[in-house]
PDB file of all heavy atoms in Angstrom:
ATOM      1  N   ASN A   1      31.461  16.507  44.203  1.00 96.00           N
ATOM      2  CA  ASN A   1      32.398  17.397  43.522  1.00 96.00           C
ATOM      3  C   ASN A   1      33.806  17.197  44.176  1.00 96.00           C
ATOM      4  O   ASN A   1      34.128  17.961  45.044  1.00 96.00           O
ATOM      5  CB  ASN A   1      31.910  18.811  43.579  1.00 96.00           C
ATOM      6  CG  ASN A   1      32.730  19.763  42.674  1.00 96.00           C
ATOM      7  OD1 ASN A   1      33.440  19.294  41.881  1.00 96.00           O
ATOM      8  ND2 ASN A   1      32.481  21.068  42.891  1.00 96.00           N
ATOM      9  N   ILE A   2      34.516  16.236  43.690  1.00 97.00           N
ATOM     10  CA  ILE A   2      35.778  15.801  44.329  1.00 97.00           C
ATOM     11  C   ILE A   2      37.033  16.446  43.621  1.00 97.00           C
ATOM     12  O   ILE A   2      37.149  16.392  42.410  1.00 97.00           O
ATOM     13  CB  ILE A   2      35.913  14.281  44.303  1.00 97.00           C
ATOM     14  CG1 ILE A   2      34.667  13.626  45.018  1.00 97.00           C
ATOM     15  CG2 ILE A   2      37.184  13.818  44.990  1.00 97.00           C
ATOM     16  CD1 ILE A   2      34.630  12.104  44.866  1.00 97.00           C
ATOM     17  N   LEU A   3      37.895  17.034  44.498  1.00 98.00           N
ATOM     18  CA  LEU A   3      39.133  17.560  43.928  1.00 98.00           C
ATOM     19  C   LEU A   3      40.279  16.593  44.169  1.00 98.00           C
ATOM     20  O   LEU A   3      40.515  16.192  45.321  1.00 98.00           O
ATOM     21  CB  LEU A   3      39.435  18.905  44.562  1.00 98.00           C
ATOM     22  CG  LEU A   3      40.676  19.648  44.080  1.00 98.00           C
ATOM     23  CD1 LEU A   3      40.388  20.206  42.626  1.00 98.00           C
ATOM     24  CD2 LEU A   3      41.094  20.833  44.914  1.00 98.00           C
ATOM     25  N   VAL A   4      40.942  16.159  43.121  1.00 98.00           N
ATOM     26  CA  VAL A   4      42.029  15.152  43.214  1.00 98.00           C
ATOM     27  C   VAL A   4      43.323  15.908  43.002  1.00 98.00           C
ATOM     28  O   VAL A   4      43.593  16.445  41.893  1.00 98.00           O
ATOM     29  CB  VAL A   4      41.850  14.030  42.201  1.00 98.00           C
ATOM     30  CG1 VAL A   4      42.903  12.980  42.425  1.00 98.00           C
ATOM     31  CG2 VAL A   4      40.467  13.417  42.336  1.00 98.00           C
ATOM     32  N   VAL A   5      44.159  15.939  43.949  1.00 98.00           N
ATOM     33  CA  VAL A   5      45.493  16.595  43.845  1.00 98.00           C
ATOM     34  C   VAL A   5      46.495  15.570  43.238  1.00 98.00           C
ATOM     35  O   VAL A   5      46.743  14.553  43.782  1.00 98.00           O
ATOM     36  CB  VAL A   5      46.005  17.050  45.229  1.00 98.00           C
ATOM     37  CG1 VAL A   5      47.352  17.779  45.086  1.00 98.00           C
ATOM     38  CG2 VAL A   5      45.003  17.998  45.863  1.00 98.00           C
ATOM     39  N   ILE A   6      47.035  15.950  42.059  1.00 97.00           N
ATOM     40  CA  ILE A   6      47.930  15.078  41.332  1.00 97.00           C
ATOM     41  C   ILE A   6      49.370  15.400  41.734  1.00 97.00           C
ATOM     42  O   ILE A   6      49.739  16.551  41.907  1.00 97.00           O
ATOM     43  CB  ILE A   6      47.766  15.287  39.829  1.00 97.00           C
ATOM     44  CG1 ILE A   6      46.332  14.880  39.407  1.00 97.00           C
ATOM     45  CG2 ILE A   6      48.764  14.479  39.075  1.00 97.00           C
ATOM     46  CD1 ILE A   6      45.950  13.439  39.733  1.00 97.00           C
ATOM     47  N   ASP A   7      50.160  14.346  41.881  1.00 93.00           N
ATOM     48  CA  ASP A   7      51.576  14.474  42.271  1.00 93.00           C
ATOM     49  C   ASP A   7      52.398  14.227  41.033  1.00 93.00           C
ATOM     50  O   ASP A   7      52.521  13.089  40.568  1.00 93.00           O
ATOM     51  CB  ASP A   7      51.890  13.505  43.380  1.00 93.00           C
ATOM     52  CG  ASP A   7      53.335  13.673  43.923  1.00 93.00           C
ATOM     53  OD1 ASP A   7      54.119  14.374  43.309  1.00 93.00           O
ATOM     54  OD2 ASP A   7      53.633  13.032  44.955  1.00 93.00           O
ATOM     55  N   PRO A   8      53.076  15.249  40.450  1.00 91.00           N
ATOM     56  CA  PRO A   8      53.850  15.074  39.249  1.00 91.00           C
ATOM     57  C   PRO A   8      55.134  14.239  39.437  1.00 91.00           C
ATOM     58  O   PRO A   8      55.738  13.832  38.500  1.00 91.00           O
ATOM     59  CB  PRO A   8      54.182  16.506  38.798  1.00 91.00           C
ATOM     60  CG  PRO A   8      54.127  17.267  40.041  1.00 91.00           C
ATOM     61  CD  PRO A   8      53.057  16.684  40.979  1.00 91.00           C
ATOM     62  N   THR A   9      55.501  14.046  40.690  1.00 87.00           N
ATOM     63  CA  THR A   9      56.720  13.299  41.003  1.00 87.00           C
ATOM     64  C   THR A   9      56.489  11.763  41.100  1.00 87.00           C
ATOM     65  O   THR A   9      57.449  10.990  41.262  1.00 87.00           O
ATOM     66  CB  THR A   9      57.411  13.814  42.318  1.00 87.00           C
ATOM     67  OG1 THR A   9      56.601  13.449  43.414  1.00 87.00           O
ATOM     68  CG2 THR A   9      57.589  15.292  42.250  1.00 87.00           C
ATOM     69  N   LYS A  10      55.232  11.391  41.051  1.00 87.00           N
ATOM     70  CA  LYS A  10      54.896   9.968  41.236  1.00 87.00           C
ATOM     71  C   LYS A  10      54.327   9.349  39.986  1.00 87.00           C
ATOM     72  O   LYS A  10      53.494   9.954  39.297  1.00 87.00           O
ATOM     73  CB  LYS A  10      53.853   9.810  42.376  1.00 87.00           C
ATOM     74  CG  LYS A  10      54.378  10.283  43.724  1.00 87.00           C
ATOM     75  CD  LYS A  10      55.485   9.430  44.280  1.00 87.00           C
ATOM     76  CE  LYS A  10      55.962   9.924  45.612  1.00 87.00           C
ATOM     77  NZ  LYS A  10      57.100   9.104  46.117  1.00 87.00           N
ATOM     78  N   GLU A  11      54.764   8.096  39.707  1.00 84.00           N
ATOM     79  CA  GLU A  11      54.218   7.426  38.497  1.00 84.00           C
ATOM     80  C   GLU A  11      52.823   6.885  38.846  1.00 84.00           C
ATOM     81  O   GLU A  11      51.898   6.961  38.037  1.00 84.00           O
ATOM     82  CB  GLU A  11      55.173   6.307  38.159  1.00 84.00           C
ATOM     83  CG  GLU A  11      54.698   5.503  36.909  1.00 84.00           C
ATOM     84  CD  GLU A  11      55.680   4.489  36.475  1.00 84.00           C
ATOM     85  OE1 GLU A  11      56.869   4.529  36.937  1.00 84.00           O
ATOM     86  OE2 GLU A  11      55.359   3.616  35.645  1.00 84.00           O
ATOM     87  N   GLU A  12      52.637   6.369  40.005  1.00 89.00           N
ATOM     88  CA  GLU A  12      51.346   5.798  40.479  1.00 89.00           C
ATOM     89  C   GLU A  12      50.575   6.869  41.234  1.00 89.00           C
ATOM     90  O   GLU A  12      51.048   7.377  42.263  1.00 89.00           O
ATOM     91  CB  GLU A  12      51.511   4.598  41.335  1.00 89.00           C
ATOM     92  CG  GLU A  12      50.262   3.930  41.793  1.00 89.00           C
ATOM     93  CD  GLU A  12      50.492   2.790  42.693  1.00 89.00           C
ATOM     94  OE1 GLU A  12      51.646   2.462  43.048  1.00 89.00           O
ATOM     95  OE2 GLU A  12      49.455   2.122  43.107  1.00 89.00           O
ATOM     96  N   GLN A  13      49.418   7.234  40.707  1.00 95.00           N
ATOM     97  CA  GLN A  13      48.586   8.292  41.277  1.00 95.00           C
ATOM     98  C   GLN A  13      47.506   7.572  42.217  1.00 95.00           C
ATOM     99  O   GLN A  13      46.424   7.329  41.798  1.00 95.00           O
ATOM    100  CB  GLN A  13      47.938   9.114  40.184  1.00 95.00           C
ATOM    101  CG  GLN A  13      48.872   9.912  39.366  1.00 95.00           C
ATOM    102  CD  GLN A  13      49.658  10.915  40.091  1.00 95.00           C
ATOM    103  OE1 GLN A  13      49.198  11.548  41.057  1.00 95.00           O
ATOM    104  NE2 GLN A  13      50.935  11.157  39.700  1.00 95.00           N
ATOM    105  N   THR A  14      47.923   7.300  43.457  1.00 94.00           N
ATOM    106  CA  THR A  14      47.033   6.608  44.398  1.00 94.00           C
ATOM    107  C   THR A  14      45.756   7.480  44.662  1.00 94.00           C
ATOM    108  O   THR A  14      44.707   6.923  44.878  1.00 94.00           O
ATOM    109  CB  THR A  14      47.749   6.314  45.698  1.00 94.00           C
ATOM    110  OG1 THR A  14      48.323   7.585  46.241  1.00 94.00           O
ATOM    111  CG2 THR A  14      48.878   5.356  45.498  1.00 94.00           C
ATOM    112  N   ALA A  15      45.953   8.821  44.737  1.00 96.00           N
ATOM    113  CA  ALA A  15      44.777   9.648  44.972  1.00 96.00           C
ATOM    114  C   ALA A  15      43.723   9.546  43.914  1.00 96.00           C
ATOM    115  O   ALA A  15      42.501   9.476  44.170  1.00 96.00           O
ATOM    116  CB  ALA A  15      45.218  11.107  45.190  1.00 96.00           C
ATOM    117  N   LEU A  16      44.195   9.489  42.658  1.00 97.00           N
ATOM    118  CA  LEU A  16      43.240   9.384  41.520  1.00 97.00           C
ATOM    119  C   LEU A  16      42.502   8.001  41.604  1.00 97.00           C
ATOM    120  O   LEU A  16      41.272   7.983  41.421  1.00 97.00           O
ATOM    121  CB  LEU A  16      43.995   9.516  40.213  1.00 97.00           C
ATOM    122  CG  LEU A  16      43.187   9.318  38.954  1.00 97.00           C
ATOM    123  CD1 LEU A  16      41.945  10.223  38.891  1.00 97.00           C
ATOM    124  CD2 LEU A  16      44.095   9.483  37.731  1.00 97.00           C
ATOM    125  N   SER A  17      43.216   6.977  41.844  1.00 95.00           N
ATOM    126  CA  SER A  17      42.565   5.619  41.907  1.00 95.00           C
ATOM    127  C   SER A  17      41.545   5.618  43.009  1.00 95.00           C
ATOM    128  O   SER A  17      40.486   5.066  42.763  1.00 95.00           O
ATOM    129  CB  SER A  17      43.667   4.563  42.177  1.00 95.00           C
ATOM    130  OG  SER A  17      44.611   4.529  41.135  1.00 95.00           O
ATOM    131  N   ARG A  18      41.849   6.187  44.157  1.00 96.00           N
ATOM    132  CA  ARG A  18      40.922   6.189  45.282  1.00 96.00           C
ATOM    133  C   ARG A  18      39.664   7.024  44.971  1.00 96.00           C
ATOM    134  O   ARG A  18      38.573   6.685  45.282  1.00 96.00           O
ATOM    135  CB  ARG A  18      41.604   6.662  46.577  1.00 96.00           C
ATOM    136  CG  ARG A  18      40.739   6.496  47.839  1.00 96.00           C
ATOM    137  CD  ARG A  18      40.707   5.051  48.207  1.00 96.00           C
ATOM    138  NE  ARG A  18      41.856   4.611  49.007  1.00 96.00           N
ATOM    139  CZ  ARG A  18      42.507   3.515  48.785  1.00 96.00           C
ATOM    140  NH1 ARG A  18      42.123   2.666  47.855  1.00 96.00           N
ATOM    141  NH2 ARG A  18      43.616   3.183  49.506  1.00 96.00           N
ATOM    142  N   ALA A  19      39.908   8.208  44.388  1.00 96.00           N
ATOM    143  CA  ALA A  19      38.842   9.109  44.013  1.00 96.00           C
ATOM    144  C   ALA A  19      37.883   8.464  43.010  1.00 96.00           C
ATOM    145  O   ALA A  19      36.682   8.613  43.102  1.00 96.00           O
ATOM    146  CB  ALA A  19      39.370  10.391  43.484  1.00 96.00           C
ATOM    147  N   VAL A  20      38.457   7.773  42.002  1.00 95.00           N
ATOM    148  CA  VAL A  20      37.620   7.098  41.075  1.00 95.00           C
ATOM    149  C   VAL A  20      36.827   6.002  41.734  1.00 95.00           C
ATOM    150  O   VAL A  20      35.594   5.825  41.426  1.00 95.00           O
ATOM    151  CB  VAL A  20      38.501   6.510  39.917  1.00 95.00           C
ATOM    152  CG1 VAL A  20      37.714   5.530  39.048  1.00 95.00           C
ATOM    153  CG2 VAL A  20      39.040   7.605  39.073  1.00 95.00           C
ATOM    154  N   TYR A  21      37.428   5.276  42.627  1.00 94.00           N
ATOM    155  CA  TYR A  21      36.708   4.223  43.382  1.00 94.00           C
ATOM    156  C   TYR A  21      35.502   4.848  44.084  1.00 94.00           C
ATOM    157  O   TYR A  21      34.412   4.260  44.095  1.00 94.00           O
ATOM    158  CB  TYR A  21      37.675   3.621  44.424  1.00 94.00           C
ATOM    159  CG  TYR A  21      37.087   2.522  45.237  1.00 94.00           C
ATOM    160  CD1 TYR A  21      37.183   1.162  44.843  1.00 94.00           C
ATOM    161  CD2 TYR A  21      36.451   2.765  46.506  1.00 94.00           C
ATOM    162  CE1 TYR A  21      36.697   0.123  45.650  1.00 94.00           C
ATOM    163  CE2 TYR A  21      35.961   1.738  47.283  1.00 94.00           C
ATOM    164  CZ  TYR A  21      36.051   0.456  46.828  1.00 94.00           C
ATOM    165  OH  TYR A  21      35.520  -0.554  47.650  1.00 94.00           O
ATOM    166  N   ILE A  22      35.664   6.001  44.751  1.00 94.00           N
ATOM    167  CA  ILE A  22      34.559   6.647  45.456  1.00 94.00           C
ATOM    168  C   ILE A  22      33.552   7.108  44.479  1.00 94.00           C
ATOM    169  O   ILE A  22      32.323   6.952  44.618  1.00 94.00           O
ATOM    170  CB  ILE A  22      35.051   7.808  46.237  1.00 94.00           C
ATOM    171  CG1 ILE A  22      35.970   7.284  47.466  1.00 94.00           C
ATOM    172  CG2 ILE A  22      33.947   8.635  46.833  1.00 94.00           C
ATOM    173  CD1 ILE A  22      36.693   8.404  48.204  1.00 94.00           C
ATOM    174  N   CYS A  23      34.024   7.784  43.373  1.00 92.00           N
ATOM    175  CA  CYS A  23      33.114   8.354  42.427  1.00 92.00           C
ATOM    176  C   CYS A  23      32.203   7.258  41.720  1.00 92.00           C
ATOM    177  O   CYS A  23      31.064   7.581  41.485  1.00 92.00           O
ATOM    178  CB  CYS A  23      33.927   9.073  41.332  1.00 92.00           C
ATOM    179  SG  CYS A  23      32.990  10.158  40.252  1.00 92.00           S
ATOM    180  N   GLN A  24      32.759   6.093  41.542  1.00 90.00           N
ATOM    181  CA  GLN A  24      31.957   4.991  40.868  1.00 90.00           C
ATOM    182  C   GLN A  24      30.882   4.497  41.774  1.00 90.00           C
ATOM    183  O   GLN A  24      29.986   3.749  41.298  1.00 90.00           O
ATOM    184  CB  GLN A  24      32.892   3.958  40.387  1.00 90.00           C
ATOM    185  CG  GLN A  24      33.793   4.328  39.212  1.00 90.00           C
ATOM    186  CD  GLN A  24      34.807   3.282  38.842  1.00 90.00           C
ATOM    187  OE1 GLN A  24      35.262   2.466  39.708  1.00 90.00           O
ATOM    188  NE2 GLN A  24      35.180   3.227  37.614  1.00 90.00           N
ATOM    189  N   ARG A  25      30.922   4.877  43.086  1.00 88.00           N
ATOM    190  CA  ARG A  25      29.945   4.404  44.060  1.00 88.00           C
ATOM    191  C   ARG A  25      28.945   5.503  44.355  1.00 88.00           C
ATOM    192  O   ARG A  25      28.111   5.317  45.253  1.00 88.00           O
ATOM    193  CB  ARG A  25      30.606   3.857  45.265  1.00 88.00           C
ATOM    194  CG  ARG A  25      31.152   2.422  45.064  1.00 88.00           C
ATOM    195  CD  ARG A  25      32.320   2.145  45.955  1.00 88.00           C
ATOM    196  NE  ARG A  25      32.794   0.750  45.636  1.00 88.00           N
ATOM    197  CZ  ARG A  25      33.540   0.455  44.577  1.00 88.00           C
ATOM    198  NH1 ARG A  25      33.909   1.395  43.724  1.00 88.00           N
ATOM    199  NH2 ARG A  25      33.929  -0.754  44.354  1.00 88.00           N
ATOM    200  N   GLU A  26      29.063   6.646  43.719  1.00 82.00           N
ATOM    201  CA  GLU A  26      28.196   7.771  43.906  1.00 82.00           C
ATOM    202  C   GLU A  26      27.427   8.068  42.617  1.00 82.00           C
ATOM    203  O   GLU A  26      27.855   7.773  41.500  1.00 82.00           O
ATOM    204  CB  GLU A  26      29.003   9.019  44.256  1.00 82.00           C
ATOM    205  CG  GLU A  26      29.766   8.944  45.568  1.00 82.00           C
ATOM    206  CD  GLU A  26      28.939   9.220  46.763  1.00 82.00           C
ATOM    207  OE1 GLU A  26      27.834   8.614  46.898  1.00 82.00           O
ATOM    208  OE2 GLU A  26      29.313  10.057  47.566  1.00 82.00           O
ATOM    209  N   GLU A  27      26.198   8.630  42.792  1.00 80.00           N
ATOM    210  CA  GLU A  27      25.431   9.108  41.644  1.00 80.00           C
ATOM    211  C   GLU A  27      25.766  10.544  41.371  1.00 80.00           C
ATOM    212  O   GLU A  27      25.796  11.366  42.320  1.00 80.00           O
ATOM    213  CB  GLU A  27      23.937   8.918  41.946  1.00 80.00           C
ATOM    214  CG  GLU A  27      23.539   7.429  42.121  1.00 80.00           C
ATOM    215  CD  GLU A  27      22.012   7.310  42.346  1.00 80.00           C
ATOM    216  OE1 GLU A  27      21.380   8.408  42.453  1.00 80.00           O
ATOM    217  OE2 GLU A  27      21.587   6.202  42.595  1.00 80.00           O
ATOM    218  N   HIS A  28      25.985  10.842  40.117  1.00 83.00           N
ATOM    219  CA  HIS A  28      26.197  12.209  39.649  1.00 83.00           C
ATOM    220  C   HIS A  28      27.431  12.882  40.277  1.00 83.00           C
ATOM    221  O   HIS A  28      27.504  14.050  40.399  1.00 83.00           O
ATOM    222  CB  HIS A  28      24.967  13.055  39.961  1.00 83.00           C
ATOM    223  CG  HIS A  28      23.655  12.484  39.542  1.00 83.00           C
ATOM    224  ND1 HIS A  28      23.398  12.163  38.248  1.00 83.00           N
ATOM    225  CD2 HIS A  28      22.627  12.056  40.238  1.00 83.00           C
ATOM    226  CE1 HIS A  28      22.178  11.643  38.168  1.00 83.00           C
ATOM    227  NE2 HIS A  28      21.720  11.525  39.338  1.00 83.00           N
ATOM    228  N   ALA A  29      28.409  12.044  40.675  1.00 91.00           N
ATOM    229  CA  ALA A  29      29.649  12.590  41.208  1.00 91.00           C
ATOM    230  C   ALA A  29      30.610  12.853  40.059  1.00 91.00           C
ATOM    231  O   ALA A  29      30.580  12.253  38.991  1.00 91.00           O
ATOM    232  CB  ALA A  29      30.267  11.635  42.158  1.00 91.00           C
ATOM    233  N   LYS A  30      31.477  13.899  40.293  1.00 95.00           N
ATOM    234  CA  LYS A  30      32.443  14.245  39.313  1.00 95.00           C
ATOM    235  C   LYS A  30      33.796  14.529  39.956  1.00 95.00           C
ATOM    236  O   LYS A  30      33.878  14.872  41.166  1.00 95.00           O
ATOM    237  CB  LYS A  30      31.989  15.464  38.507  1.00 95.00           C
ATOM    238  CG  LYS A  30      31.773  16.713  39.310  1.00 95.00           C
ATOM    239  CD  LYS A  30      31.293  17.887  38.443  1.00 95.00           C
ATOM    240  CE  LYS A  30      31.048  19.135  39.327  1.00 95.00           C
ATOM    241  NZ  LYS A  30      30.581  20.271  38.525  1.00 95.00           N
ATOM    242  N   LEU A  31      34.871  14.385  39.192  1.00 97.00           N
ATOM    243  CA  LEU A  31      36.212  14.604  39.715  1.00 97.00           C
ATOM    244  C   LEU A  31      36.865  15.767  38.901  1.00 97.00           C
ATOM    245  O   LEU A  31      36.563  16.084  37.767  1.00 97.00           O
ATOM    246  CB  LEU A  31      37.124  13.383  39.444  1.00 97.00           C
ATOM    247  CG  LEU A  31      36.649  12.045  39.992  1.00 97.00           C
ATOM    248  CD1 LEU A  31      37.672  10.960  39.696  1.00 97.00           C
ATOM    249  CD2 LEU A  31      36.351  12.078  41.466  1.00 97.00           C
ATOM    250  N   LYS A  32      37.793  16.421  39.571  1.00 98.00           N
ATOM    251  CA  LYS A  32      38.637  17.413  38.894  1.00 98.00           C
ATOM    252  C   LYS A  32      40.093  16.988  39.276  1.00 98.00           C
ATOM    253  O   LYS A  32      40.488  17.027  40.442  1.00 98.00           O
ATOM    254  CB  LYS A  32      38.323  18.822  39.320  1.00 98.00           C
ATOM    255  CG  LYS A  32      39.269  19.885  38.623  1.00 98.00           C
ATOM    256  CD  LYS A  32      39.136  21.256  39.258  1.00 98.00           C
ATOM    257  CE  LYS A  32      37.760  21.843  38.965  1.00 98.00           C
ATOM    258  NZ  LYS A  32      37.666  23.182  39.563  1.00 98.00           N
ATOM    259  N   LEU A  33      40.929  16.712  38.256  1.00 98.00           N
ATOM    260  CA  LEU A  33      42.309  16.496  38.477  1.00 98.00           C
ATOM    261  C   LEU A  33      43.013  17.825  38.519  1.00 98.00           C
ATOM    262  O   LEU A  33      42.943  18.663  37.582  1.00 98.00           O
ATOM    263  CB  LEU A  33      42.901  15.674  37.365  1.00 98.00           C
ATOM    264  CG  LEU A  33      42.155  14.340  36.995  1.00 98.00           C
ATOM    265  CD1 LEU A  33      43.019  13.494  36.119  1.00 98.00           C
ATOM    266  CD2 LEU A  33      41.783  13.568  38.294  1.00 98.00           C
ATOM    267  N   PHE A  34      43.679  18.129  39.616  1.00 98.00           N
ATOM    268  CA  PHE A  34      44.271  19.451  39.892  1.00 98.00           C
ATOM    269  C   PHE A  34      45.765  19.373  40.113  1.00 98.00           C
ATOM    270  O   PHE A  34      46.253  18.528  40.826  1.00 98.00           O
ATOM    271  CB  PHE A  34      43.596  20.058  41.133  1.00 98.00           C
ATOM    272  CG  PHE A  34      44.026  21.450  41.408  1.00 98.00           C
ATOM    273  CD1 PHE A  34      43.511  22.538  40.676  1.00 98.00           C
ATOM    274  CD2 PHE A  34      44.993  21.684  42.401  1.00 98.00           C
ATOM    275  CE1 PHE A  34      43.947  23.806  40.974  1.00 98.00           C
ATOM    276  CE2 PHE A  34      45.396  22.978  42.687  1.00 98.00           C
ATOM    277  CZ  PHE A  34      44.879  24.065  41.950  1.00 98.00           C
ATOM    278  N   LEU A  35      46.522  20.206  39.400  1.00 97.00           N
ATOM    279  CA  LEU A  35      47.911  20.307  39.535  1.00 97.00           C
ATOM    280  C   LEU A  35      48.406  21.759  39.576  1.00 97.00           C
ATOM    281  O   LEU A  35      48.038  22.581  38.777  1.00 97.00           O
ATOM    282  CB  LEU A  35      48.603  19.618  38.331  1.00 97.00           C
ATOM    283  CG  LEU A  35      50.105  19.628  38.291  1.00 97.00           C
ATOM    284  CD1 LEU A  35      50.712  18.910  39.458  1.00 97.00           C
ATOM    285  CD2 LEU A  35      50.594  18.938  36.982  1.00 97.00           C
ATOM    286  N   SER A  36      49.176  22.044  40.713  1.00 95.00           N
ATOM    287  CA  SER A  36      49.744  23.341  40.869  1.00 95.00           C
ATOM    288  C   SER A  36      51.172  23.305  40.507  1.00 95.00           C
ATOM    289  O   SER A  36      51.921  22.478  41.057  1.00 95.00           O
ATOM    290  CB  SER A  36      49.583  23.852  42.315  1.00 95.00           C
ATOM    291  OG  SER A  36      50.188  25.054  42.507  1.00 95.00           O
ATOM    292  N   VAL A  37      51.660  24.049  39.512  1.00 93.00           N
ATOM    293  CA  VAL A  37      52.988  24.027  39.075  1.00 93.00           C
ATOM    294  C   VAL A  37      53.675  25.412  39.246  1.00 93.00           C
ATOM    295  O   VAL A  37      53.031  26.434  39.287  1.00 93.00           O
ATOM    296  CB  VAL A  37      53.101  23.625  37.560  1.00 93.00           C
ATOM    297  CG1 VAL A  37      52.579  22.149  37.388  1.00 93.00           C
ATOM    298  CG2 VAL A  37      52.365  24.592  36.709  1.00 93.00           C
ATOM    299  N   TYR A  38      55.010  25.363  39.458  1.00 89.00           N
ATOM    300  CA  TYR A  38      55.795  26.591  39.616  1.00 89.00           C
ATOM    301  C   TYR A  38      57.246  26.313  39.380  1.00 89.00           C
ATOM    302  O   TYR A  38      57.731  25.229  39.775  1.00 89.00           O
ATOM    303  CB  TYR A  38      55.568  27.180  41.018  1.00 89.00           C
ATOM    304  CG  TYR A  38      56.194  28.517  41.254  1.00 89.00           C
ATOM    305  CD1 TYR A  38      55.630  29.669  40.739  1.00 89.00           C
ATOM    306  CD2 TYR A  38      57.426  28.571  41.917  1.00 89.00           C
ATOM    307  CE1 TYR A  38      56.270  30.900  40.947  1.00 89.00           C
ATOM    308  CE2 TYR A  38      58.047  29.866  42.147  1.00 89.00           C
ATOM    309  CZ  TYR A  38      57.347  30.950  41.629  1.00 89.00           C
ATOM    310  OH  TYR A  38      57.993  32.202  41.822  1.00 89.00           O
ATOM    311  N   ASP A  39      57.893  27.213  38.716  1.00 80.00           N
ATOM    312  CA  ASP A  39      59.352  27.112  38.502  1.00 80.00           C
ATOM    313  C   ASP A  39      59.938  28.507  38.793  1.00 80.00           C
ATOM    314  O   ASP A  39      59.716  29.463  38.007  1.00 80.00           O
ATOM    315  CB  ASP A  39      59.685  26.644  37.053  1.00 80.00           C
ATOM    316  CG  ASP A  39      61.171  26.351  36.896  1.00 80.00           C
ATOM    317  OD1 ASP A  39      61.996  26.961  37.604  1.00 80.00           O
ATOM    318  OD2 ASP A  39      61.491  25.480  36.046  1.00 80.00           O
ATOM    319  N   PHE A  40      60.673  28.639  39.898  1.00 72.00           N
ATOM    320  CA  PHE A  40      61.193  29.891  40.335  1.00 72.00           C
ATOM    321  C   PHE A  40      62.161  30.459  39.266  1.00 72.00           C
ATOM    322  O   PHE A  40      62.257  31.713  39.145  1.00 72.00           O
ATOM    323  CB  PHE A  40      61.913  29.764  41.650  1.00 72.00           C
ATOM    324  CG  PHE A  40      62.413  31.021  42.238  1.00 72.00           C
ATOM    325  CD1 PHE A  40      61.504  32.019  42.665  1.00 72.00           C
ATOM    326  CD2 PHE A  40      63.785  31.287  42.300  1.00 72.00           C
ATOM    327  CE1 PHE A  40      61.919  33.194  43.219  1.00 72.00           C
ATOM    328  CE2 PHE A  40      64.237  32.518  42.879  1.00 72.00           C
ATOM    329  CZ  PHE A  40      63.319  33.454  43.312  1.00 72.00           C
ATOM    330  N   SER A  41      62.816  29.621  38.513  1.00 69.00           N
ATOM    331  CA  SER A  41      63.805  30.100  37.536  1.00 69.00           C
ATOM    332  C   SER A  41      63.100  30.898  36.468  1.00 69.00           C
ATOM    333  O   SER A  41      63.732  31.822  35.884  1.00 69.00           O
ATOM    334  CB  SER A  41      64.567  28.940  36.918  1.00 69.00           C
ATOM    335  OG  SER A  41      63.719  28.083  36.194  1.00 69.00           O
TER     336      SER A  41
END
């Protein structure tokens, strides 16, 4: 059960690529792409 923290400021999501790499080598593994957003204005 892998939590992948997404970076909205980056075009290349290295964390996602690495998590998928791990997930594809595991049985019954799953990912959750997670993004925390906030705008003070």
